[in-house]
Amino acid sequence: MSSRSIRDGKGHRAYRRQQAALKRRTAREHLPCGYGSTHHWGCGEQIDTTLPAGHRMSFTADHDDALDNGGRLLGHLVPMHLHCNSRKSNHAPTEIWEAS
């Protein structure tokens, strides 16, 4: 199943509510870009939630674990700038194992 069909299917409205709640919290608490990311993505700068949606520094809700990499639609969302989210894309964290 593609990530597009996941986003447009069951749970889409619940995701939009979760996204809107994160935007309100970001505005209220002045959360920085990448706040709460377990993978440490984001620039850490303030997010202006009043910027229009297409602006490169506008608010987006990022899936910490990308949908393309098995993340859940209603999983952990992180506030990010549009530019930072685009730069992250669907990159997964890298695990480094010590040779034995």
Side-chain angles (χ1 to χ4, degrees):
M1 185 183 301
S2 75
S3 60
R4 161 95 49 224
S5 63
I6 292 170
R7 284 191 296 263
D8 294 338
K10 185 176 180 181
H12 181 73
R13 286 185 182 169
Y15 164 73
R16 290 292 182 200
R17 284 192 300 271
Q18 188 177 6
Q19 180 186 39
L22 180 60
K23 185 174 184 177
R24 287 190 303 272
R25 181 176 174 219
T26 300
R28 183 178 62 246
E29 298 177 18
H30 307 288
L31 300 179
C33 177
Y35 177 82
S37 172
T38 58
H39 305 304
H40 308 289
W41 283 95
C43 66
E45 298 293 321
Q46 289 297 122
I47 301 173
D48 182 354
T49 56
T50 63
L51 291 173
H55 191 280
R56 66 186 305 261
M57 298 303 278
S58 65
F59 168 87
T60 60
D62 174 59
H63 290 88
D64 207 25
D65 294 315
L67 296 177
D68 288 344
N69 298 329
R72 294 183 10 242
L73 180 66
L74 297 176
H76 180 64
L77 293 179
V78 175
M80 290 185 100
H81 293 117
L82 178 63
H83 173 73
C84 297
N85 195 354
S86 296
R87 193 178 57 201
K88 176 193 170 218
S89 183
N90 64 353
H91 291 109
T94 304
E95 290 185 35
I96 300 175
W97 293 70
E98 185 176 319
S100 53

